Amino acid sequence: MGQFSFEHCFEIDTLKRLIAQHQHLFRHQSLADLYYRGEKLSVTAIELGQQQQMCPTVLFVGGVHGVERIGAQVVLAFLTSLLNRLPWDTHLQQLLQHVRLAFVPVANPVGFLRGSRGNGNNVDLMRNAPIDSDEDVTFLVGGQRISPKLPWYRGKAGMELETEVLVNYVKQLQHQSSSVIALDAHSGFGLLDHVWFPHAHTRQPFEGMGYIYRLMQLFESGYPHHGHYRLAPQSQFYRTHGDIWDYLVATNSSEKPLIPLTLEMGSWAWVRKNPRQLFNFPGYFNPQQSHRHQRILRRHVVLMQFLIDAAYAQIIEQTTPAQLIHLTQQANRFWSKKG
């Protein structure tokens, strides 16, 4: 599970297979063409559902870091389930008349082939956006421009192609949508599964946290026995330069809500249960026991389906300005106590 060849990259092959088998059920486009060792790769976006009218959108992103393969696999497994259900699931068919679902399952395909966190230029895409922390960050981890040979390299001035096309795609979705909820799947932090939201570059509260607080209330009441996520601003754990979602929030000129969530799966728990994973680099970020891998693919389906159902119910759109003010006050009190 170190270096991967083009012919044996499971995630890229799975995405190709889904397009070949189910392309009559969705729209897909290449956001960017990339080349690695003479092979042409694509940052691919897939969309299901409403296209003609303004509607809520839910975006699922995976594979921003090439070594965190489980993130892309969770997104691909959920997409596969939806496509297999779509021919017979009348509820899903009805939902997709009113909601747009978008997927970028492998945002960093060259990183997957290289088995690296960064892209082909060794740039960490989640440190690459043009936004700086307003206070000192942890050495290296918060993003650095010392050398591409060191981890968490931000790159030189300007965005990498993969970063740029993801940013532009989110802005395109905003233009077409009444709201956008994004879930970006990662792994590698702690023993628990976290769901982070902006900001990563500052301790200042995110203006959309009232919406997130409302979603948290609904999730916890609707699924009271599924509360294994720790939901909080990323800045409560550490701050970084160059966070893509922070940049999108900071440059958002639309009045339409953008609600970015980062699912950070707690890979340390997998290492604790199987310490032999420490002897190979991907083992720090991915479950390597078959039964545990299957469990992780199932584990987050409830959360992902909840986000779709919340969009269908137009929870964001139906929140009045007065309600949002009250929710934001509650959210500030709640997360200031947690910080």
Side-chain angles (χ1 to χ4, degrees):
M1 294 183 68
Q3 299 295 316
F4 310 117
S5 70
F6 183 80
E7 295 82 2
H8 297 97
C9 183
F10 170 81
E11 295 78 13
I12 293 175
D13 288 347
T14 299
L15 183 55
K16 286 183 173 181
R17 176 177 53 79
L18 289 177
I19 292 172
Q21 293 181 353
H22 300 287
Q23 58 185 312
H24 61 289
L25 296 176
F26 55 73
R27 297 158 299 282
H28 69 281
Q29 61 176 306
S30 173
L31 304 180
D33 291 330
L34 306 166
Y35 294 88
Y36 179 68
R37 294 182 178 175
E39 298 285 358
K40 182 179 178 180
L41 302 170
S42 171
V43 179
T44 300
I46 288 175
E47 294 181 19
L48 292 76
Q50 177 59 247
Q51 280 291 306
Q52 304 304 318
Q53 301 175 7
M54 196 74 67
C55 68
T57 294
V58 184
L59 167 65
F60 298 99
V61 176
V64 169
H65 294 137
V67 76
E68 297 173 15
R69 300 176 63 189
I70 189 63
Q73 291 171 13
V74 164
V75 172
L76 286 165
F78 187 60
L79 174 58
T80 300
S81 172
L82 292 174
L83 294 173
N84 288 336
R85 286 164 47 197
L86 190 53
W88 59 265
D89 189 333
T90 54
H91 170 72
L92 180 59
Q93 293 166 6
Q94 178 70 22
L95 180 151
L96 288 176
Q97 294 180 29
H98 303 278
V99 173
R100 179 184 302 106
L101 303 183
F103 296 81
V104 182
V106 184
N108 179 13
V110 175
F112 271 72
L113 295 181
R114 297 177 69 233
S116 65
R117 180 179 174 91
N119 68 354
N121 297 322
N122 269 345
V123 174
D124 185 331
L125 303 181
M126 201 48 75
R127 304 292 186 272
N128 179 234
I131 187 167
D132 295 332
S133 175
D134 62 8
E135 59 182 89
D136 290 339
V137 299
T138 304
F139 179 62
L140 296 183
V141 173
Q144 55 84 19
R145 288 201 168 106
I146 301 169
S147 170
K149 295 181 180 180
L150 296 173
W152 300 290
Y153 178 56
R154 296 187 64 188
K156 299 179 181 179
M159 289 188 282
E160 294 291 294
L161 180 59
E162 297 94 331
T163 309
E164 182 178 9
V165 299
L166 181 57
V167 165
N168 289 341
Y169 183 57
V170 174
K171 290 182 177 180
Q172 173 191 321
L173 290 175
Q174 279 193 277
H175 180 71
Q176 302 169 338
S177 308
S178 54
S179 67
V180 175
I181 299 173
L183 185 70
D184 181 14
H186 292 255
S187 65
F189 183 88
L191 293 167
L192 302 175
D193 292 334
H194 293 77
V195 175
W196 290 334
F197 58 87
H199 297 107
H201 78 289
T202 179
R203 299 175 194 265
Q204 294 300 312
F206 168 47
E207 289 184 359
M209 69 185 343
Y211 292 120
I212 294 175
Y213 189 78
R214 179 59 177 149
L215 291 173
M216 181 188 74
Q217 290 178 318
L218 294 174
F219 184 75
E220 290 184 347
S221 63
Y223 303 94
H225 306 295
H226 202 80
H228 61 263
Y229 298 106
R230 183 172 180 183
L231 176 66
Q234 184 179 332
S235 59
Q236 287 192 0
F237 302 94
Y238 62 96
R239 281 151 300 287
T240 72
H241 302 301
D243 185 271
I244 292 174
W245 302 109
D246 276 23
Y247 176 71
L248 279 162
V249 166
T251 59
N252 183 18
S253 60
S254 170
E255 295 181 356
K256 302 166 188 175
L258 170 63
I259 312 298
L261 304 171
T262 297
L263 170 60
E264 188 77 18
M265 290 174 272
S267 66
W268 298 0
W270 312 329
V271 173
R272 184 179 65 177
K273 293 178 180 179
N274 182 27
R276 287 176 296 177
Q277 293 187 200
L278 291 171
F279 293 101
N280 67 90
F281 183 56
Y284 285 86
F285 305 97
N286 304 284
Q288 297 191 330
Q289 296 289 337
S290 178
H291 68 281
R292 194 163 294 123
H293 178 259
Q294 292 297 318
R295 185 183 306 130
I296 298 306
L297 295 183
R298 297 191 302 268
R299 184 179 179 92
H300 304 291
V301 169
V302 171
L303 173 63
M304 299 167 88
Q305 185 64 50
F306 164 77
L307 294 177
I308 293 175
D309 290 337
Y312 183 34
Q314 297 199 351
I315 297 300
I316 303 300
E317 288 79 0
Q318 292 185 11
T319 301
T320 67
Q323 288 173 328
L324 182 59
I325 290 172
H326 181 61
L327 288 166
T328 301
Q329 292 170 343
Q330 289 180 296
N332 275 307
R333 287 194 296 268
F334 179 79
W335 277 298
S336 63
K337 291 178 184 178
K338 298 285 185 178

